[in-house]
Each structure stands twice: as C-alpha cells, then as structure tokens.
Coordinates of all heavy atoms in Angstrom, one line a residue:
I37 N 19.7 80.4 -25.1 CA 19.2 79.8 -23.9 C 20.3 79.1 -23.2 O 21.1 78.4 -23.8 CB 18.0 78.8 -24.2 CG1 17.4 78.3 -22.9 CG2 18.5 77.7 -25.1 CD1 16.1 77.6 -23.1
D38 N 20.5 79.3 -21.9 CA 21.5 78.7 -21.1 C 21.0 77.4 -20.4 O 19.9 77.1 -20.5 CB 22.2 79.7 -20.1 CG 21.2 80.2 -19.1 OD1 20.3 79.4 -18.7 OD2 21.4 81.3 -18.6
S39 N 21.9 76.8 -19.7 CA 21.6 75.5 -19.1 C 20.6 75.6 -18.0 O 20.1 74.6 -17.6 CB 22.9 74.8 -18.6 OG 23.6 75.7 -17.7
S40 N 20.4 76.8 -17.5 CA 19.4 77.0 -16.4 C 18.0 77.4 -17.0 O 17.1 77.6 -16.2 CB 19.9 78.1 -15.5 OG 21.1 77.8 -14.9
G41 N 18.0 77.5 -18.3 CA 16.7 77.9 -19.0 C 16.6 79.4 -19.2 O 15.6 79.9 -19.7
G42 N 17.6 80.2 -18.8 CA 17.6 81.6 -19.0 C 17.7 81.9 -20.5 O 18.5 81.3 -21.2
T43 N 17.0 82.9 -20.9 CA 17.1 83.3 -22.3 C 17.4 84.8 -22.5 O 17.2 85.6 -21.6 CB 15.7 83.1 -23.0 OG1 14.7 83.8 -22.3 CG2 15.4 81.6 -23.0
S44 N 18.0 85.1 -23.6 CA 18.3 86.4 -24.0 C 18.1 86.5 -25.5 O 18.3 85.5 -26.3 CB 19.7 86.9 -23.7 OG 20.7 86.0 -24.2
Y45 N 17.7 87.7 -26.0 CA 17.3 87.9 -27.4 C 17.9 89.1 -28.0 O 18.1 90.1 -27.3 CB 15.8 87.9 -27.6 CG 15.1 86.7 -27.1 CD1 14.6 86.6 -25.7 CD2 14.9 85.6 -27.9 CE1 13.9 85.5 -25.3 CE2 14.2 84.5 -27.5 CZ 13.7 84.4 -26.2 OH 13.1 83.3 -25.7
G46 N 18.1 89.0 -29.3 CA 18.5 90.2 -30.0 C 17.4 91.1 -30.2 O 16.2 90.7 -30.1
D47 N 17.6 92.4 -30.6 CA 16.5 93.4 -30.7 C 15.5 92.9 -31.7 O 14.3 93.2 -31.5 CB 17.1 94.7 -31.1 CG 17.9 95.4 -30.0 OD1 17.7 95.0 -28.8 OD2 18.7 96.3 -30.3
S48 N 15.9 92.3 -32.8 CA 14.9 91.9 -33.8 C 14.0 90.8 -33.4 O 12.9 90.6 -33.9 CB 15.7 91.5 -35.1 OG 16.4 90.3 -34.8
A49 N 14.4 90.1 -32.3 CA 13.6 88.9 -31.8 C 12.7 89.2 -30.6 O 11.8 88.5 -30.3 CB 14.5 87.8 -31.5
K50 N 13.1 90.3 -29.9 CA 12.4 90.6 -28.6 C 10.9 90.8 -28.8 O 10.5 91.5 -29.7 CB 13.0 91.8 -28.0 CG 14.4 91.5 -27.4 CD 15.0 92.8 -26.7 CE 16.4 92.6 -26.2 NZ 17.0 93.9 -25.7
G51 N 10.1 90.0 -28.0 CA 8.7 90.2 -28.0 C 8.0 89.4 -29.1 O 6.7 89.3 -29.1
R52 N 8.8 88.8 -30.0 CA 8.1 88.0 -31.1 C 8.6 86.6 -31.1 O 7.9 85.7 -31.5 CB 8.5 88.7 -32.5 CG 7.9 90.0 -32.6 CD 8.0 90.5 -34.1 NE 9.4 90.5 -34.5 CZ 9.9 90.0 -35.6 NH1 9.1 89.3 -36.4 NH2 11.2 90.0 -35.9
F53 N 9.9 86.3 -30.7 CA 10.5 85.0 -30.8 C 10.7 84.4 -29.4 O 11.0 85.2 -28.5 CB 11.8 85.1 -31.5 CG 11.8 85.4 -33.0 CD1 10.6 85.7 -33.6 CD2 13.0 85.5 -33.7 CE1 10.6 86.1 -35.0 CE2 13.0 85.9 -35.0 CZ 11.7 86.2 -35.7
T54 N 10.6 83.1 -29.3 CA 10.8 82.5 -28.0 C 11.7 81.2 -28.2 O 11.4 80.4 -29.1 CB 9.5 82.0 -27.4 OG1 8.6 83.2 -27.2 CG2 9.8 81.4 -26.0
I55 N 12.8 81.1 -27.4 CA 13.6 80.0 -27.5 C 13.3 79.0 -26.4 O 13.1 79.5 -25.2 CB 15.1 80.4 -27.5 CG1 15.5 81.2 -28.7 CG2 16.0 79.2 -27.3 CD1 16.9 81.8 -28.7
S56 N 13.3 77.7 -26.7 CA 13.1 76.8 -25.6 C 13.8 75.5 -25.9 O 14.3 75.3 -27.1 CB 11.6 76.5 -25.4 OG 11.0 75.9 -26.6
T57 N 13.9 74.6 -25.0 CA 14.5 73.3 -25.2 C 13.6 72.2 -24.6 O 12.8 72.4 -23.7 CB 15.9 73.2 -24.6 OG1 15.8 73.4 -23.2 CG2 16.9 74.1 -25.2
D58 N 13.8 71.0 -25.3 CA 13.1 69.8 -24.7 C 14.3 68.8 -24.5 O 14.8 68.2 -25.4 CB 12.1 69.2 -25.7 CG 11.4 68.0 -25.2 OD1 12.0 67.3 -24.3 OD2 10.3 67.8 -25.5
N59 N 14.7 68.8 -23.2 CA 15.9 68.0 -22.9 C 15.7 66.5 -23.1 O 16.6 65.8 -23.5 CB 16.3 68.2 -21.4 CG 16.8 69.6 -21.2 OD1 17.3 70.3 -22.1 ND2 16.6 70.1 -20.0
D60 N 14.5 66.0 -23.0 CA 14.2 64.6 -23.3 C 14.4 64.3 -24.8 O 14.8 63.1 -25.1 CB 12.8 64.2 -22.9 CG 12.6 64.3 -21.4 OD1 13.6 64.1 -20.6 OD2 11.5 64.4 -20.9

C-alpha cells in the first residue's frame, strides 16, 4: 500500500487478501 492508499498484490493474494492502514 502506498501513501495515497493505492494497493497492489501478488498473484497468490489477489481477490482474497486486502491491505489497509489506520493512520491514527
């Protein structure tokens, strides 16, 4: 996940895993 909230995933994670952040 980048500083703008954009995400990218490896093939094994696509469709099943989600990355997120809580900046607070």
Side-chain angles (χ1 to χ4, degrees):
I37 186 166
D38 63 31
S39 56
S40 300
T43 55
S44 56
Y45 299 94
D47 289 341
S48 62
K50 287 178 182 176
R52 298 189 301 129
F53 295 0
T54 303
I55 293 176
S56 63
T57 57
D58 184 329
N59 293 330
D60 291 336

